[in-house]
Amino acid sequence: MACPINVVSVEVLDNPAPFTNPLSFLVTYECLYQLNKDLEWRLTYVGDAESESDDQVLDSVLVGPVYPGQYRFVFQADPPDHTKLPQDDILGITALLLTCLYADKEFVRVGYYVNNEYPEEEVALREEPPKEPIVDKLIRNILADKPRVTKFPIDWDPPVDDVPSSGTELQQGFGVEGGTGDDMMDSPQRNFGGGQLAAQFAAAADEDGMQQPSEDEGGGLGADMEMQDLGVAQMAA
């Protein structure tokens, strides 16, 4: 059965920002028919590219009831607890995973590369970073323009006829197409190492550093739509 949920857009708010700032995302999605259960949105910070044991679920929220229509909400979560992260992996490149689940089964994942670094004015820290990162001075920069999107097939409820449409109509959006994302998002289990993560990040960023990432090789939102094309002003209107 076709997926009844299409992710129209995810806008990263307050980016770049200090590492200690909350993370905020404006999520817009549409539902094609009424669902019997709530959707669960979850934000996960990847603490170590080679192991899930250091991942931190920053927050999760249940959204429902879900009727046909288009919806949007701001998903805000606290930053990761840096005391629980591997000290060697705080500075540099990692990832954020925004996932949506139905009946405890993940069906879509929007992944972002993240670069934590000292600002340019902190020349000494950039040239010789201390062994224990000074998190209060770190800047978090999310590669927001080209999310890596992957869909996973799950079992859905059959459509229910003659149900009310209570979604907030916005504008005609772009649904997530089928297909898989890049290596970072290719399965429910990550299969990338630290070296691969850095290489993928470098390939996605341009000379200006995270302003114009490369085209997503997979299908879905990352390949078929750019966040800036949707128009934040139009969505907010």
Side-chain angles (χ1 to χ4, degrees), residues 43-66:
L43 184 63
T44 302
Y45 186 90
V46 176
D48 183 350
E50 298 179 348
S51 173
E52 295 185 25
S53 61
D54 292 309
D55 287 0
Q56 291 186 33
V57 177
L58 303 182
D59 203 354
S60 64
V61 59
L62 295 176
V63 178
V66 185

Side-chain angles (χ1 to χ4, degrees), residues 145-149 214-216 218-227:
D145 290 344
K146 293 285 184 179
R148 303 320 201 204
V149 178
S214 64
E215 293 294 330
D216 192 328
L221 187 67
D224 299 321
M225 160 184 169
E226 295 184 11
M227 295 296 96

Side-chain angles (χ1 to χ4, degrees), residues 115-144:
N115 188 28
N116 298 315
E117 61 182 354
Y118 295 108
E120 293 183 0
E121 57 268 23
E122 297 288 353
V123 178
L125 292 176
R126 290 171 67 92
E127 293 180 351
E128 295 186 14
K131 184 175 182 180
E132 183 174 339
I134 305 174
V135 295
D136 291 339
K137 292 184 177 293
L138 287 177
I139 298 298
R140 177 186 65 230
N141 200 344
I142 301 172
L143 186 59

Side-chain angles (χ1 to χ4, degrees), residues 2-148:
C3 177
I5 300 295
N6 287 327
V7 179
V8 177
S9 71
V10 180
E11 180 191 352
V12 181
L13 307 178
D14 189 26
N15 181 61
F19 180 87
T20 53
N21 275 22
L23 295 116
S24 297
F25 299 84
L26 178 61
V27 181
T28 305
Y29 67 95
E30 62 181 357
C31 179
L32 303 182
Y33 60 79
Q34 181 182 5
L35 300 178
N36 295 327
K37 302 179 180 65
D38 292 344
L39 296 173
E40 179 186 358
W41 293 87
R42 183 182 298 170
L43 184 63
T44 302
Y45 186 90
V46 176
D48 183 350
E50 298 179 348
S51 173
E52 295 185 25
S53 61
D54 292 309
D55 287 0
Q56 291 186 33
V57 177
L58 303 182
D59 203 354
S60 64
V61 59
L62 295 176
V63 178
V66 185
Y67 296 109
Q70 197 169 88
Y71 304 82
R72 66 178 176 183
F73 69 99
V74 174
F75 189 0
Q76 186 173 85
D78 290 333
D81 183 349
H82 69 277
T83 65
K84 298 179 180 179
L85 296 173
Q87 294 297 297
D88 293 340
D89 292 321
I90 294 178
L91 187 66
I93 302 159
T94 184
L96 277 169
L97 307 177
L98 176 64
T99 58
C100 194
L101 301 86
Y102 183 73
D104 295 324
K105 295 179 180 178
E106 178 185 355
F107 66 90
V108 65
R109 176 183 301 176
V110 185
Y112 296 94
Y113 294 114
V114 181
N115 188 28
N116 298 315
E117 61 182 354
Y118 295 108
E120 293 183 0
E121 57 268 23
E122 297 288 353
V123 178
L125 292 176
R126 290 171 67 92
E127 293 180 351
E128 295 186 14
K131 184 175 182 180
E132 183 174 339
I134 305 174
V135 295
D136 291 339
K137 292 184 177 293
L138 287 177
I139 298 298
R140 177 186 65 230
N141 200 344
I142 301 172
L143 186 59
D145 290 344
K146 293 285 184 179
R148 303 320 201 204

